[in-house]
Short mmCIF file of all heavy atoms in Angstrom, two decimals:
data_model
loop_
_atom_site.label_atom_id
_atom_site.label_comp_id
_atom_site.label_asym_id
_atom_site.label_seq_id
_atom_site.Cartn_x
_atom_site.Cartn_y
_atom_site.Cartn_z
N ASP A 1 -17.30 -10.81 4.14
CA ASP A 1 -17.20 -10.16 2.84
C ASP A 1 -16.08 -10.75 1.99
O ASP A 1 -16.16 -10.77 0.77
CB ASP A 1 -16.96 -8.66 3.01
CG ASP A 1 -18.08 -7.97 3.75
OD1 ASP A 1 -19.25 -8.25 3.45
OD2 ASP A 1 -17.78 -7.14 4.64
N ASN A 2 -15.02 -11.21 2.66
CA ASN A 2 -13.87 -11.70 1.91
C ASN A 2 -13.03 -12.58 2.82
O ASN A 2 -13.01 -12.42 4.04
CB ASN A 2 -13.03 -10.50 1.42
CG ASN A 2 -11.86 -10.93 0.56
OD1 ASN A 2 -11.97 -11.85 -0.25
ND2 ASN A 2 -10.72 -10.27 0.72
N ILE A 3 -12.36 -13.56 2.21
CA ILE A 3 -11.41 -14.40 2.92
C ILE A 3 -10.06 -14.26 2.23
O ILE A 3 -9.83 -14.88 1.17
CB ILE A 3 -11.86 -15.88 2.95
CG1 ILE A 3 -13.24 -15.99 3.59
CG2 ILE A 3 -10.84 -16.72 3.71
CD1 ILE A 3 -13.80 -17.41 3.61
N PRO A 4 -9.16 -13.43 2.76
CA PRO A 4 -7.86 -13.21 2.12
C PRO A 4 -7.04 -14.50 2.07
O PRO A 4 -7.22 -15.41 2.89
CB PRO A 4 -7.19 -12.16 3.00
CG PRO A 4 -8.30 -11.54 3.78
CD PRO A 4 -9.32 -12.61 3.97
N VAL A 5 -6.14 -14.55 1.11
CA VAL A 5 -5.24 -15.70 0.99
C VAL A 5 -4.29 -15.71 2.18
O VAL A 5 -3.53 -14.75 2.41
CB VAL A 5 -4.43 -15.62 -0.33
CG1 VAL A 5 -3.46 -16.80 -0.42
CG2 VAL A 5 -5.37 -15.61 -1.52
N ARG A 6 -4.37 -16.76 2.97
CA ARG A 6 -3.64 -16.80 4.24
C ARG A 6 -2.14 -16.68 4.05
O ARG A 6 -1.44 -16.09 4.89
CB ARG A 6 -3.98 -18.09 4.98
CG ARG A 6 -3.39 -18.15 6.39
CD ARG A 6 -3.93 -19.33 7.16
NE ARG A 6 -3.68 -20.59 6.48
CZ ARG A 6 -4.17 -21.75 6.86
NH1 ARG A 6 -4.98 -21.81 7.89
NH2 ARG A 6 -3.89 -22.86 6.20
N SER A 7 -1.61 -17.21 2.98
CA SER A 7 -0.16 -17.20 2.78
C SER A 7 0.40 -15.79 2.58
O SER A 7 1.61 -15.58 2.64
CB SER A 7 0.22 -18.08 1.59
OG SER A 7 -0.36 -17.59 0.39
N THR A 8 -0.49 -14.82 2.33
CA THR A 8 -0.04 -13.44 2.14
C THR A 8 -0.19 -12.60 3.41
O THR A 8 0.10 -11.40 3.40
CB THR A 8 -0.83 -12.76 1.01
OG1 THR A 8 -2.20 -12.60 1.42
CG2 THR A 8 -0.78 -13.58 -0.26
N LEU A 9 -0.65 -13.22 4.50
CA LEU A 9 -0.94 -12.48 5.72
C LEU A 9 0.06 -12.81 6.82
O LEU A 9 0.44 -13.96 7.02
CB LEU A 9 -2.35 -12.80 6.21
CG LEU A 9 -3.49 -12.48 5.24
CD1 LEU A 9 -4.82 -12.96 5.81
CD2 LEU A 9 -3.54 -10.99 4.94
N PHE A 10 0.47 -11.78 7.54
CA PHE A 10 1.44 -11.93 8.63
C PHE A 10 1.01 -11.09 9.82
O PHE A 10 0.45 -10.01 9.66
CB PHE A 10 2.84 -11.49 8.18
CG PHE A 10 3.42 -12.32 7.08
CD1 PHE A 10 3.06 -12.10 5.76
CD2 PHE A 10 4.31 -13.35 7.36
CE1 PHE A 10 3.58 -12.88 4.73
CE2 PHE A 10 4.84 -14.13 6.34
CZ PHE A 10 4.47 -13.90 5.03
N CYS A 11 1.27 -11.61 11.01
CA CYS A 11 1.02 -10.85 12.23
C CYS A 11 2.22 -9.95 12.51
O CYS A 11 3.35 -10.43 12.56
CB CYS A 11 0.81 -11.78 13.41
SG CYS A 11 -0.65 -12.82 13.29
N GLY A 12 1.96 -8.68 12.70
CA GLY A 12 3.02 -7.76 13.07
C GLY A 12 3.37 -7.91 14.54
O GLY A 12 2.48 -8.00 15.39
N GLN A 13 4.65 -7.98 14.84
CA GLN A 13 5.12 -8.04 16.21
C GLN A 13 6.06 -6.86 16.46
O GLN A 13 6.03 -5.87 15.74
CB GLN A 13 5.84 -9.38 16.46
CG GLN A 13 4.97 -10.60 16.22
CD GLN A 13 5.71 -11.91 16.49
OE1 GLN A 13 6.92 -11.96 16.65
NE2 GLN A 13 4.94 -13.00 16.54
N SER A 14 6.82 -6.92 17.49
CA SER A 14 7.93 -5.99 17.68
C SER A 14 9.11 -6.82 18.19
O SER A 14 8.90 -7.93 18.68
CB SER A 14 7.57 -4.87 18.68
OG SER A 14 7.53 -5.33 20.00
N PRO A 15 10.34 -6.35 17.97
CA PRO A 15 10.70 -4.98 17.66
C PRO A 15 10.59 -4.62 16.18
O PRO A 15 10.60 -5.49 15.32
CB PRO A 15 12.16 -4.90 18.10
CG PRO A 15 12.68 -6.31 17.90
CD PRO A 15 11.53 -7.20 18.27
N ASP A 16 10.45 -3.31 15.96
CA ASP A 16 10.71 -2.70 14.66
C ASP A 16 12.06 -2.00 14.78
O ASP A 16 12.48 -1.62 15.87
CB ASP A 16 9.64 -1.66 14.32
CG ASP A 16 8.25 -2.27 14.26
OD1 ASP A 16 7.96 -2.94 13.27
OD2 ASP A 16 7.47 -2.05 15.21
N ALA A 17 12.74 -1.84 13.65
CA ALA A 17 14.04 -1.18 13.69
C ALA A 17 14.25 -0.37 12.42
O ALA A 17 13.73 -0.72 11.35
CB ALA A 17 15.16 -2.21 13.86
N PHE A 18 15.02 0.72 12.56
CA PHE A 18 15.18 1.66 11.45
C PHE A 18 16.55 2.32 11.51
O PHE A 18 17.16 2.43 12.58
CB PHE A 18 14.12 2.78 11.52
CG PHE A 18 12.72 2.29 11.70
CD1 PHE A 18 12.21 2.08 12.97
CD2 PHE A 18 11.91 2.03 10.60
CE1 PHE A 18 10.91 1.62 13.15
CE2 PHE A 18 10.62 1.57 10.77
CZ PHE A 18 10.12 1.36 12.03
N ASN A 19 17.00 2.79 10.35
CA ASN A 19 18.09 3.76 10.34
C ASN A 19 17.57 5.00 11.07
O ASN A 19 16.52 5.54 10.71
CB ASN A 19 18.48 4.11 8.91
CG ASN A 19 19.51 5.21 8.85
OD1 ASN A 19 19.17 6.39 8.92
ND2 ASN A 19 20.76 4.84 8.68
N LEU A 20 18.26 5.44 12.10
CA LEU A 20 17.73 6.48 12.97
C LEU A 20 17.54 7.81 12.24
O LEU A 20 16.51 8.48 12.41
CB LEU A 20 18.64 6.67 14.19
CG LEU A 20 18.24 7.76 15.17
CD1 LEU A 20 16.80 7.59 15.64
CD2 LEU A 20 19.18 7.78 16.37
N LYS A 21 18.51 8.20 11.42
CA LYS A 21 18.38 9.48 10.72
C LYS A 21 17.15 9.48 9.81
O LYS A 21 16.38 10.45 9.77
CB LYS A 21 19.64 9.78 9.91
CG LYS A 21 20.68 10.59 10.66
CD LYS A 21 21.68 11.22 9.73
CE LYS A 21 22.55 12.22 10.49
NZ LYS A 21 23.55 12.88 9.59
N ASN A 22 16.96 8.40 9.09
CA ASN A 22 15.80 8.31 8.20
C ASN A 22 14.50 8.29 9.00
O ASN A 22 13.50 8.90 8.59
CB ASN A 22 15.90 7.06 7.33
CG ASN A 22 17.03 7.11 6.33
OD1 ASN A 22 17.58 8.19 6.06
ND2 ASN A 22 17.40 5.97 5.78
N PHE A 23 14.54 7.61 10.13
CA PHE A 23 13.33 7.53 10.97
C PHE A 23 12.97 8.91 11.51
O PHE A 23 11.79 9.29 11.54
CB PHE A 23 13.59 6.55 12.12
CG PHE A 23 12.36 6.21 12.92
CD1 PHE A 23 11.31 5.52 12.35
CD2 PHE A 23 12.27 6.58 14.26
CE1 PHE A 23 10.18 5.19 13.10
CE2 PHE A 23 11.15 6.26 15.01
CZ PHE A 23 10.10 5.57 14.43
N ILE A 24 13.96 9.65 11.94
CA ILE A 24 13.70 11.01 12.43
C ILE A 24 13.08 11.86 11.34
O ILE A 24 12.10 12.59 11.58
CB ILE A 24 15.01 11.65 12.94
CG1 ILE A 24 15.46 10.98 14.24
CG2 ILE A 24 14.84 13.16 13.15
CD1 ILE A 24 16.83 11.43 14.73
N ASP A 25 13.61 11.77 10.13
CA ASP A 25 13.06 12.55 9.02
C ASP A 25 11.60 12.17 8.75
O ASP A 25 10.76 13.04 8.49
CB ASP A 25 13.89 12.33 7.75
CG ASP A 25 15.26 12.99 7.82
OD1 ASP A 25 15.43 13.90 8.67
OD2 ASP A 25 16.16 12.60 7.05
N MET A 26 11.30 10.87 8.80
CA MET A 26 9.93 10.43 8.55
C MET A 26 8.99 10.91 9.66
O MET A 26 7.89 11.39 9.39
CB MET A 26 9.87 8.90 8.42
CG MET A 26 10.47 8.37 7.14
SD MET A 26 10.13 6.62 6.83
CE MET A 26 11.14 5.85 8.11
N ILE A 27 9.43 10.79 10.91
CA ILE A 27 8.61 11.23 12.04
C ILE A 27 8.31 12.72 11.92
O ILE A 27 7.16 13.17 12.08
CB ILE A 27 9.32 10.93 13.38
CG1 ILE A 27 9.29 9.44 13.70
CG2 ILE A 27 8.70 11.74 14.51
CD1 ILE A 27 7.94 8.92 14.14
N ASN A 28 9.33 13.49 11.66
CA ASN A 28 9.16 14.95 11.60
C ASN A 28 8.33 15.40 10.40
O ASN A 28 7.82 16.52 10.39
CB ASN A 28 10.52 15.64 11.60
CG ASN A 28 11.23 15.52 12.93
OD1 ASN A 28 10.61 15.30 13.96
ND2 ASN A 28 12.55 15.66 12.92
N GLY A 29 8.21 14.56 9.40
CA GLY A 29 7.45 14.92 8.22
C GLY A 29 5.98 14.54 8.27
O GLY A 29 5.21 14.86 7.36
N LEU A 30 5.56 13.86 9.33
CA LEU A 30 4.17 13.41 9.44
C LEU A 30 3.24 14.58 9.78
O LEU A 30 3.56 15.43 10.61
CB LEU A 30 4.04 12.35 10.53
CG LEU A 30 4.70 10.99 10.29
CD1 LEU A 30 4.62 10.14 11.55
CD2 LEU A 30 4.03 10.26 9.12
N SER A 31 2.09 14.59 9.14
CA SER A 31 1.06 15.55 9.51
C SER A 31 0.31 15.03 10.74
O SER A 31 0.41 13.84 11.09
CB SER A 31 0.08 15.74 8.36
OG SER A 31 -0.67 14.54 8.14
N ASP A 32 -0.44 15.90 11.41
CA ASP A 32 -1.23 15.47 12.55
C ASP A 32 -2.24 14.41 12.15
O ASP A 32 -2.49 13.44 12.89
CB ASP A 32 -1.95 16.67 13.17
CG ASP A 32 -1.00 17.60 13.90
OD1 ASP A 32 0.11 17.17 14.25
OD2 ASP A 32 -1.37 18.78 14.09
N GLU A 33 -2.81 14.54 10.97
CA GLU A 33 -3.78 13.55 10.49
C GLU A 33 -3.12 12.20 10.27
O GLU A 33 -3.70 11.16 10.62
CB GLU A 33 -4.43 14.04 9.18
CG GLU A 33 -5.48 13.10 8.63
CD GLU A 33 -6.10 13.61 7.34
OE1 GLU A 33 -5.72 14.70 6.89
OE2 GLU A 33 -6.97 12.90 6.79
N GLN A 34 -1.93 12.20 9.72
CA GLN A 34 -1.21 10.94 9.51
C GLN A 34 -0.87 10.29 10.85
O GLN A 34 -1.01 9.07 11.01
CB GLN A 34 0.06 11.20 8.69
CG GLN A 34 -0.21 11.50 7.23
CD GLN A 34 1.04 11.93 6.49
OE1 GLN A 34 1.93 12.58 7.06
NE2 GLN A 34 1.14 11.58 5.22
N LYS A 35 -0.44 11.09 11.81
CA LYS A 35 -0.11 10.54 13.13
C LYS A 35 -1.31 9.85 13.75
O LYS A 35 -1.19 8.80 14.38
CB LYS A 35 0.40 11.65 14.05
CG LYS A 35 1.78 12.18 13.71
CD LYS A 35 2.19 13.30 14.65
CE LYS A 35 3.55 13.85 14.29
NZ LYS A 35 3.95 14.98 15.18
N ARG A 36 -2.48 10.43 13.60
CA ARG A 36 -3.69 9.88 14.22
C ARG A 36 -4.09 8.54 13.59
O ARG A 36 -4.81 7.75 14.21
CB ARG A 36 -4.84 10.86 14.12
CG ARG A 36 -4.63 12.18 14.83
CD ARG A 36 -4.77 12.07 16.35
NE ARG A 36 -3.67 11.39 17.03
CZ ARG A 36 -2.51 11.95 17.35
NH1 ARG A 36 -2.28 13.22 17.05
NH2 ARG A 36 -1.59 11.27 17.98
N SER A 37 -3.62 8.27 12.38
CA SER A 37 -4.00 7.03 11.71
C SER A 37 -3.02 5.90 11.97
O SER A 37 -3.27 4.75 11.58
CB SER A 37 -4.11 7.26 10.20
OG SER A 37 -2.83 7.50 9.63
N ILE A 38 -1.90 6.19 12.63
CA ILE A 38 -0.86 5.20 12.86
C ILE A 38 -1.19 4.37 14.09
O ILE A 38 -1.48 4.90 15.16
CB ILE A 38 0.51 5.88 13.03
CG1 ILE A 38 0.95 6.50 11.70
CG2 ILE A 38 1.56 4.90 13.54
CD1 ILE A 38 2.18 7.38 11.81
N THR A 39 -1.14 3.06 13.94
CA THR A 39 -1.42 2.16 15.06
C THR A 39 -0.18 1.37 15.48
O THR A 39 -0.14 0.84 16.60
CB THR A 39 -2.53 1.16 14.70
OG1 THR A 39 -2.15 0.42 13.53
CG2 THR A 39 -3.84 1.90 14.41
N GLY A 40 0.79 1.25 14.61
CA GLY A 40 2.01 0.52 14.93
C GLY A 40 3.22 1.44 14.85
O GLY A 40 3.18 2.57 15.30
#
């Protein structure tokens, strides 16, 4: 259906890193529906 421009595409790896306080706030604010859609 489409061939995206390769230069705009990146493979996600790990680690990921965050300010912990902000990360806690984001985690606690997620709905159950949002959690189910998260893959990374």
Side-chain angles (χ1 to χ4, degrees):
D1 299 316
N2 184 39
I3 302 178
V5 178
R6 187 171 57 188
S7 62
T8 67
L9 301 175
F10 296 81
C11 295
Q13 300 181 348
S14 73
D16 300 284
F18 310 88
N19 174 278
L20 178 53
K21 268 198 170 181
N22 293 344
F23 189 65
I24 290 173
D25 289 342
M26 288 191 290
I27 286 287
N28 290 338
L30 292 172
S31 67
D32 289 340
E33 182 180 359
Q34 287 173 326
K35 288 179 182 178
R36 298 285 73 81
S37 69
I38 291 171
T39 58

